[in-house]
């Protein structure tokens, strides 16, 4: 059986090989193990998303954090459509 491709692999390689060394050259302070998910949300918000039907895997939580912190609808990598319904349930439709 073929292994599932990681859609973020190209970005990960780019960050590891180019972006991080550039930040180090500029002597910009940074943590060794930064977690953007911890910056964008907290465990109580993630629990609310889980109660609304969002799966609790890391990828789904990242998608939820992106949706919750964007001014417009972002492009999500969600081939199984697991984040669509919970995202629709939590976003204010506006006036």
């Amino acid at each position: 059986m073929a292994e599932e491709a990681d859609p973020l692999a190209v970005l990960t390689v780019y960050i590891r090989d180019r972006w991080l060394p550039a930040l180090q050259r500029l002597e910009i302070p940074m943590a060794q193990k930064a977690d953007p998910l911890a910056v964008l949300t907290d465990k109580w918000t993630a629990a609310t998303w889980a109660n609304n039907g969002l799966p609790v895997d890391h990828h789904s939580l990242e998608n939820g954090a992106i949706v919750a912190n964007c001014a417009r609808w972002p492009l999500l990598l969600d081939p199984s459509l697991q984040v669509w319904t919970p995202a629709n349930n939590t976003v204010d439709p506006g006036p």
Side-chain angles (χ1 to χ4, degrees):
M1 185 165 102
E3 222 175 287
E4 185 176 327
D6 181 7
L8 300 177
V10 174
L11 181 60
T12 303
V13 169
Y14 179 80
I15 289 172
R16 183 186 65 229
D17 293 346
R18 296 196 180 176
W19 196 56
L20 290 177
L23 293 176
Q24 291 167 347
R25 267 193 318 276
L26 295 170
E27 298 180 4
I28 296 174
M30 61 183 164
Q32 289 293 335
K33 183 81 172 154
D35 183 14
L37 189 57
V39 173
L40 295 173
T41 190
D42 54 39
K43 60 184 177 182
W44 296 279
T45 305
T48 302
W49 295 340
N51 288 338
N52 288 333
L54 184 70
V56 292
D57 63 281
H58 193 74
H59 190 79
S60 296
L61 291 174
E62 287 175 343
N63 283 338
I66 291 168
V67 169
N69 289 282
C70 284
R72 297 178 182 222
W73 282 97
L75 174 65
L76 300 176
L77 301 174
D78 187 26
S80 59
L81 300 177
Q82 293 179 329
V83 78
W84 179 250
T85 300
N88 272 344
N89 290 341
T90 58
V91 174
D92 182 17

